[in-house]
Amino acid sequence: MALDTDKIIEALKGASILELNDLVKAIEDEFGVSAAAPVAAAGAGAGAAEKTEFDVELTDVGQEKVKVIKVVRDITGLGLKDSKDLVDGAPKNVKEGVSEDEANDIKAKLEEVGATVTVK
């Protein structure tokens, strides 16, 4: 018996959350598996692996607040008000879950306008 993946996906798109929850429970019961197990295993292995995602934190705005707001807007794509709120709320993460290269690039751009930045 061949499965028609496209038909299954279309049927799932039309299902309610309650119906999907019931489906997951039925699959777990029928096949003796747990939908939560892969998530827990992936989380356990991630701690031992090399860090691949970094957070960029704006620690201090410095003297050029307007320039920092402009750079934050460029980096995040936020509007002016949201960028200003982020800068005013320092210390605060500007970007989360980025590659090391992107994190260092963001740090360099912000430090260029006088901000203090920490990569975590």
Side-chain angles (χ1 to χ4, degrees):
M1 174 176 108
L3 294 177
D4 188 345
T5 307
D6 293 333
K7 285 183 181 178
I8 294 170
I9 290 173
E10 284 303 314
L12 292 175
K13 283 182 182 178
S16 70
I17 298 296
L18 186 57
E19 291 170 326
L20 292 173
N21 187 42
D22 290 342
L23 175 63
V24 170
K25 287 179 183 177
I27 290 172
E28 288 175 337
D29 292 343
E30 180 69 25
F31 297 105
V33 295
S34 173
V39 174
E50 185 178 326
K51 187 170 183 174
T52 58
E53 292 186 347
F54 298 85
D55 297 339
V56 181
E57 179 184 73
L58 176 63
T59 309
D60 184 55
V61 177
Q63 300 297 315
E64 300 289 338
K65 182 177 174 180
V66 173
K67 290 181 181 178
V68 173
I69 292 170
K70 288 180 181 181
V71 172
V72 167
R73 281 186 72 193
D74 289 341
I75 292 168
T76 62
L78 294 172
L80 180 60
K81 182 182 181 329
D82 292 332
S83 296
K84 181 182 179 303
D85 290 345
L86 190 148
V87 170
D88 287 341
K92 198 157 192 169
N93 285 346
V94 176
K95 275 261 182 146
E96 297 177 343
V98 296
S99 69
E100 184 175 10
D101 290 339
E102 185 177 356
N104 289 329
D105 184 47
I106 293 169
K107 180 179 179 180
K109 287 178 182 178
L110 287 166
E111 287 179 342
E112 188 176 308
V113 293
T116 305
V117 179
T118 306
V119 176
K120 297 180 179 179

